[in-house]
Amino acid sequence: MSGALQWVRSLIFIVLMYTAMAVIGIALFPWALLSRRGARAGCKAFCAYVRWSAAWMVGLRTEIRGTPPTGEVLIAAKHQSFLDIILIFSAVPAGKFIMKRELLWTPILGQYAMRIGCIPVDRGKKGAAIKKMVEDVARGAEMPGQLIIYPQGTRVAPGVAAPYKIGSGAIYAAVQQDCVPVATNVGVFWPRHGILRKPGTAVVEFLPPIEAGLPRAAFMERLEAEVETASDALMKEAGFAR
C-alpha cells in the first residue's frame, strides 16, 4: 500500500472515529446520565468500534497481553497515544483515569469521563499539585474500579526518554493497593500527533502486579524498570529501532 493511500485511509479513519464518538455518545447519553453502567457501556462500545475499524480500515490490529485486573487495583501504564487509553479501558471492567482537568470541557468525552469516575487534576506547583491529586484520589475511591495513572504524566513518543513523576508514587502510597504495570508499543503505529496510522499489531501488556506497601523510592524504581523494559521489547518486536 502506498504511503499516500495509507495517509488518506488514516484520515478517513480519524474522521469516522470522531463521528462514531459523537453518535455513540449522544445515543447512549440518557442511559449514561441515569446509570454509570450506561456510561461504561457507551465508552466500551466506542473502544470496540475503534479496534474493529482500525483493523480493516488502516490495517492496525490490536492485542491485549497478560492478565487484566478485575479487582480494586492501581494500574500504572506507559502512555504513547490515544490508542493505549482505548485498549486499557476495553480490557478492564471498571477503569477510571486520572486526567487533566481541561478535558472536562471536551464535548461528550468530558461528560462520560466524569460519569465513569475519572479523577480530574490540576497542573500547578509540584508540591501543591501532588497534595491536591492525592486528596482527589481519596474522594474518588468511593467509586470502585481500576484507577489508571500515567506515571510520565503525558504521551511519550517511542525512543524518547521522559522521567517517571513522583505523583504516581504518592498515589501508590495513598491507595495502599497492588499496582499493575502496563507496557505498550502503540506509538509505533499511532503517533502522538499527525494523521498517519501504520499497519501492524499494537499491543498493551499487563505485567505481574507490584505488591502494595513498598517504600516509595523502591516502588518508583521497580515500576520504571519493568514498564520500560517490557515496552522496549514490544517496540522491538514491532520493528522499532532506537
Side-chain angles (χ1 to χ4, degrees):
M1 184 183 298
S2 71
L5 179 56
Q6 184 70 14
W7 189 92
V8 171
R9 289 166 69 100
S10 299
L11 177 61
I12 295 170
F13 165 73
I14 292 168
V15 171
L16 291 179
M17 180 183 73
Y18 285 108
T19 300
M21 178 186 289
V23 170
I24 294 170
I26 293 169
L28 295 184
F29 196 61
W31 187 19
L33 284 177
L34 293 172
S35 167
R36 296 194 189 280
R37 180 183 173 190
R40 289 196 185 105
C43 294
K44 287 188 177 291
F46 173 70
C47 291
Y49 168 79
V50 173
R51 296 182 67 181
W52 169 77
S53 61
W56 69 267
M57 290 191 70
V58 294
L60 179 53
R61 299 174 300 279
T62 55
E63 180 182 343
I64 308 293
R65 295 183 187 173
T67 304
T70 57
E72 295 268 325
V73 297
L74 179 66
I75 295 174
K78 184 77 173 174
H79 188 22
Q80 293 183 336
S81 75
F82 186 35
L83 184 56
D84 55 64
I85 294 175
I86 290 169
L87 295 184
I88 293 170
F89 187 82
S90 69
V92 299
K96 53 183 182 176
F97 295 85
I98 291 181
M99 55 182 264
K100 295 182 291 186
R101 189 170 294 276
E102 306 93 87
L103 293 177
L104 287 178
W105 309 111
T106 304
I108 301 176
L109 183 63
Q111 288 72 38
Y112 273 82
M114 290 305 297
R115 292 297 293 154
I116 66 173
C118 292
I119 300 169
V121 297
D122 290 313
R123 291 182 173 182
K125 293 182 179 179
K126 184 175 179 180
I130 291 174
K131 180 180 178 182
K132 180 66 165 55
M133 182 168 59
V134 170
E135 292 172 352
D136 290 341
V137 166
R139 284 193 291 272
E142 298 173 3
M143 186 184 303
Q146 298 78 45
L147 179 61
I148 303 160
I149 63 173
Y150 290 111
Q152 291 171 296
T154 188
R155 294 169 295 176
V156 178
V160 174
Y164 278 55
K165 298 184 177 181
I166 194 62
S168 55
I171 293 172
Y172 166 78
V175 299
Q176 298 182 348
Q177 295 174 348
D178 289 353
C179 175
V180 177
V182 176
T184 191
N185 67 1
V186 301
V188 174
F189 309 100
W190 183 315
R192 295 185 305 159
H193 306 295
I195 291 173
L196 182 65
R197 304 292 183 259
K198 299 177 183 178
T201 301
V203 179
V204 297
E205 182 177 3
F206 290 86
L207 305 174
I210 298 174
E211 65 275 15
L214 291 179
R216 189 176 302 183
F219 165 73
M220 293 295 299
E221 182 178 356
R222 182 172 166 186
L223 175 66
E224 180 172 356
E226 293 185 5
V227 171
E228 291 300 308
T229 299
S231 294
D232 285 347
L234 290 176
M235 289 186 288
K236 183 178 180 180
E237 177 184 314
F240 177 79
R242 289 180 180 271

